[in-house]
Amino acid sequence: MAPVLVSRLLDGQRHPNFDSLGILYVTVAILYTIILSGELYLLYRRRSTFSVRIRNIKVVFAAVSMLHIYLVLVLLVYPQNGNFPCAAEFWIMSVFLPSGMAFFQACNARVLSAYESQRRLQRNFLEGARKTRLSFSPRGLWQAWTDLSAATQVLVGTVVGLFLSFIPAVVLFFGSRRFHSSYGFFGPMVDELACRRGAEWIPSILVQLFWTALIGPWILWRIRRVNDVHYWAWQTRLAIIAGLPGTPLWMAFTYSKVTQMISINRYLAPAGWFIPSLIVCQQVLIIIPLREAFKSQPRRTSVSSTTTTESLRTSMSLSPTVSKKSPNVVLNKELKPKASMQALEFTIEHRIEGLIAWTAAREFTAENSIFLREVRNFKKKWGSLQTVTTAQRRQMFTEASLIFFTLINPFTAETPINIEYKIFKILQRTFSTVEFDPYPARSSTPESPSARENVVCPWEDVLDRPTSIGSDTSALSTASTKSIVPSEFTETVFDAAFESIKYLVFTNTWPRYVEAELTGQGSP
């Protein structure tokens, strides 16, 4: 923050400035605090909605709170005048602003993490559940670092960076005589005005430049191709761009000797140039997800019972030239049959890959469509068999376990689907006899099949195995199969979850996808 207190009004004397301008600053600080508190309360009330949940509300609250503490203190510099100690400003500048900007960039990095996660899901939904063992070597540690998501990397960098920046802050504060005349081993003893112009402030400026001028543009570059329906990418772009001018303006008004700038500093502390960017950063973290949360009430679209499969095929292949020429007419004429449940079921059965690609690139909910596809394939594969042998039953249970642990279980899936708790508990009991191992088997100590017969591993893509695969009778005996596979297990094990996710897609994703298809924006 470090404002330069120049005479006449911000003169560093021990008397407050409670003139009309000082009262205005205090009033703005109080009113904006009340408004921001109300917004955060509404955001917390809707923390379970997708638009809020995906942003990590804890990190949002930390970023907004840190930035707001700094913003309020900046607004109070003028009214307090000389009652605001230089030492307090130094610690505020060294702790609150860097912490707020770091957490703010961590919020922005979550859009990159979600984008990368959706791309992995689209490539192979097993990829996100795979883990590699940590090797305490330079190469192993580097591999572990690169395996972290962008948001986790920024959070780790935040903690490490704040710790490293805290060390020089402590040394500079206790070593410089600028902040205290009774002790110190370098720097002159100065008054309140000169205290705010010393080189001791440079490390805190470098930390801010790191987060705003390096990490921010890096995130912008990485999300340059993201164009999601939630406007999350545009929120991130706007917030990062708004945060860029603050530090250069602060430096210009702090160290400049231009007469016009000095006259402005009499009424607005140089740190006040951070205020517009701080407000924008806070509001985009709150308003956009809050707006999406209010809009995300489940939409109930009427189901057309007279729509036939043939008419659906015709509707799905609507000419793009027609949709571009008269979008309003097309929406009114074609939306009803295309937005029906039968249309969704037809898409799941025949052309779900387009829906998966769109949700991965635009909505960040590809896990739901992928789950529908995998359950569809699972039932097609095993439901067509008249009789199931012991080995086939064990294989079917292994494949079902892999779907459960990589797409449903919130403790093992990278991006789990959102189903009712009652349905999840039933599935959890069904697969309680299976152990999930996300690490590849050690090649140096191969384990016998019998030792891993109750283990499923995402490194072994068992879903592509044919139903006629042979089995080792010594390792896969009837007794062991009965002890692992529950007696009530059938190929319909995911039916309840399938219907739940299908309805979720129908009420949330499907209307947006249909509108995008009709307006020629269905391709990611």
mmCIF file of all heavy atoms in Angstrom, residues 190-205:
data_model
loop_
_atom_site.group_PDB
_atom_site.id
_atom_site.type_symbol
_atom_site.label_atom_id
_atom_site.label_comp_id
_atom_site.label_asym_id
_atom_site.label_seq_id
_atom_site.Cartn_x
_atom_site.Cartn_y
_atom_site.Cartn_z
ATOM 1 N N VAL A 190 14.216 8.495 9.641
ATOM 2 C CA VAL A 190 13.473 9.487 8.863
ATOM 3 C C VAL A 190 12.100 9.708 9.472
ATOM 4 O O VAL A 190 11.673 8.987 10.390
ATOM 5 C CB VAL A 190 13.345 9.022 7.389
ATOM 6 C CG1 VAL A 190 14.719 8.937 6.734
ATOM 7 C CG2 VAL A 190 12.630 7.683 7.309
ATOM 8 N N ASP A 191 11.384 10.699 8.893
ATOM 9 C CA ASP A 191 10.032 10.977 9.361
ATOM 10 C C ASP A 191 9.036 10.089 8.612
ATOM 11 O O ASP A 191 9.404 9.242 7.793
ATOM 12 C CB ASP A 191 9.692 12.460 9.164
ATOM 13 C CG ASP A 191 9.857 12.897 7.712
ATOM 14 O OD1 ASP A 191 9.913 12.009 6.822
ATOM 15 O OD2 ASP A 191 9.941 14.119 7.467
ATOM 16 N N GLU A 192 7.748 10.321 8.894
ATOM 17 C CA GLU A 192 6.696 9.494 8.316
ATOM 18 C C GLU A 192 6.624 9.615 6.798
ATOM 19 O O GLU A 192 6.235 8.659 6.104
ATOM 20 C CB GLU A 192 5.342 9.869 8.925
ATOM 21 C CG GLU A 192 5.183 9.489 10.386
ATOM 22 C CD GLU A 192 5.041 7.999 10.572
ATOM 23 O OE1 GLU A 192 4.405 7.334 9.723
ATOM 24 O OE2 GLU A 192 5.575 7.479 11.561
ATOM 25 N N LEU A 193 6.982 10.768 6.260
ATOM 26 C CA LEU A 193 6.909 10.956 4.814
ATOM 27 C C LEU A 193 7.996 10.186 4.094
ATOM 28 O O LEU A 193 7.746 9.467 3.134
ATOM 29 C CB LEU A 193 7.006 12.450 4.485
ATOM 30 C CG LEU A 193 5.870 13.336 5.014
ATOM 31 C CD1 LEU A 193 6.143 14.794 4.650
ATOM 32 C CD2 LEU A 193 4.542 12.902 4.455
ATOM 33 N N ALA A 194 9.229 10.331 4.556
ATOM 34 C CA ALA A 194 10.358 9.666 3.896
ATOM 35 C C ALA A 194 10.332 8.162 4.121
ATOM 36 O O ALA A 194 10.916 7.406 3.331
ATOM 37 C CB ALA A 194 11.671 10.255 4.404
ATOM 38 N N CYS A 195 9.668 7.727 5.187
ATOM 39 C CA CYS A 195 9.605 6.288 5.480
ATOM 40 C C CYS A 195 8.968 5.515 4.332
ATOM 41 O O CYS A 195 9.352 4.376 4.048
ATOM 42 C CB CYS A 195 8.817 6.065 6.770
ATOM 43 S SG CYS A 195 8.493 4.327 7.160
ATOM 44 N N ARG A 196 8.041 6.148 3.658
ATOM 45 C CA ARG A 196 7.275 5.457 2.619
ATOM 46 C C ARG A 196 7.931 5.518 1.243
ATOM 47 O O ARG A 196 7.335 5.086 0.267
ATOM 48 C CB ARG A 196 5.872 6.056 2.557
ATOM 49 C CG ARG A 196 5.061 5.734 3.811
ATOM 50 C CD ARG A 196 3.831 6.609 3.930
ATOM 51 N NE ARG A 196 2.955 6.139 4.966
ATOM 52 C CZ ARG A 196 3.035 6.489 6.251
ATOM 53 N NH1 ARG A 196 4.007 7.302 6.644
ATOM 54 N NH2 ARG A 196 2.185 6.017 7.143
ATOM 55 N N ARG A 197 9.145 6.032 1.174
ATOM 56 C CA ARG A 197 9.846 6.124 -0.105
ATOM 57 C C ARG A 197 11.097 5.255 -0.138
ATOM 58 O O ARG A 197 11.829 5.285 -1.118
ATOM 59 C CB ARG A 197 10.251 7.574 -0.382
ATOM 60 C CG ARG A 197 9.112 8.469 -0.790
ATOM 61 C CD ARG A 197 9.635 9.863 -1.099
ATOM 62 N NE ARG A 197 8.584 10.737 -1.596
ATOM 63 C CZ ARG A 197 8.278 10.904 -2.874
ATOM 64 N NH1 ARG A 197 8.947 10.226 -3.792
ATOM 65 N NH2 ARG A 197 7.322 11.715 -3.250
ATOM 66 N N GLY A 198 11.358 4.480 0.864
ATOM 67 C CA GLY A 198 12.603 3.730 0.930
ATOM 68 C C GLY A 198 12.619 2.507 0.028
ATOM 69 O O GLY A 198 11.592 2.042 -0.479
ATOM 70 N N ALA A 199 13.826 1.975 -0.146
ATOM 71 C CA ALA A 199 14.002 0.770 -0.965
ATOM 72 C C ALA A 199 13.463 -0.478 -0.268
ATOM 73 O O ALA A 199 13.368 -1.537 -0.893
ATOM 74 C CB ALA A 199 15.478 0.592 -1.279
ATOM 75 N N GLU A 200 13.109 -0.373 1.006
ATOM 76 C CA GLU A 200 12.581 -1.530 1.733
ATOM 77 C C GLU A 200 11.254 -2.026 1.159
ATOM 78 O O GLU A 200 10.840 -3.162 1.430
ATOM 79 C CB GLU A 200 12.390 -1.177 3.225
ATOM 80 C CG GLU A 200 13.679 -0.985 4.007
ATOM 81 C CD GLU A 200 14.243 0.421 3.855
ATOM 82 O OE1 GLU A 200 13.696 1.201 3.040
ATOM 83 O OE2 GLU A 200 15.207 0.747 4.551
ATOM 84 N N TRP A 201 10.595 -1.162 0.387
ATOM 85 C CA TRP A 201 9.310 -1.545 -0.179
ATOM 86 C C TRP A 201 9.456 -2.348 -1.474
ATOM 87 O O TRP A 201 8.478 -2.934 -1.961
ATOM 88 C CB TRP A 201 8.475 -0.289 -0.481
ATOM 89 C CG TRP A 201 8.231 0.555 0.725
ATOM 90 C CD1 TRP A 201 9.043 1.533 1.209
ATOM 91 C CD2 TRP A 201 7.113 0.491 1.606
ATOM 92 N NE1 TRP A 201 8.504 2.094 2.336
ATOM 93 C CE2 TRP A 201 7.313 1.479 2.607
ATOM 94 C CE3 TRP A 201 5.950 -0.280 1.647
ATOM 95 C CZ2 TRP A 201 6.402 1.694 3.629
ATOM 96 C CZ3 TRP A 201 5.044 -0.061 2.670
ATOM 97 C CH2 TRP A 201 5.273 0.903 3.643
ATOM 98 N N ILE A 202 10.625 -2.388 -2.047
ATOM 99 C CA ILE A 202 10.814 -3.014 -3.363
ATOM 100 C C ILE A 202 10.473 -4.506 -3.367
ATOM 101 O O ILE A 202 9.815 -4.983 -4.300
ATOM 102 C CB ILE A 202 12.258 -2.765 -3.860
ATOM 103 C CG1 ILE A 202 12.443 -1.270 -4.143
ATOM 104 C CG2 ILE A 202 12.552 -3.598 -5.110
ATOM 105 C CD1 ILE A 202 13.837 -0.900 -4.607
ATOM 106 N N PRO A 203 10.901 -5.326 -2.377
ATOM 107 C CA PRO A 203 10.540 -6.752 -2.420
ATOM 108 C C PRO A 203 9.044 -7.006 -2.496
ATOM 109 O O PRO A 203 8.594 -7.902 -3.225
ATOM 110 C CB PRO A 203 11.142 -7.304 -1.125
ATOM 111 C CG PRO A 203 12.291 -6.403 -0.836
ATOM 112 C CD PRO A 203 11.837 -5.039 -1.265
ATOM 113 N N SER A 204 8.240 -6.224 -1.757
ATOM 114 C CA SER A 204 6.786 -6.425 -1.814
ATOM 115 C C SER A 204 6.244 -6.070 -3.194
ATOM 116 O O SER A 204 5.303 -6.707 -3.685
ATOM 117 C CB SER A 204 6.092 -5.582 -0.739
ATOM 118 O OG SER A 204 6.324 -4.198 -0.948
ATOM 119 N N ILE A 205 6.843 -5.071 -3.839
ATOM 120 C CA ILE A 205 6.431 -4.719 -5.193
ATOM 121 C C ILE A 205 6.768 -5.835 -6.164
ATOM 122 O O ILE A 205 5.985 -6.176 -7.066
ATOM 123 C CB ILE A 205 7.119 -3.411 -5.634
ATOM 124 C CG1 ILE A 205 6.591 -2.247 -4.804
ATOM 125 C CG2 ILE A 205 6.877 -3.146 -7.114
ATOM 126 C CD1 ILE A 205 5.115 -2.010 -4.960
#
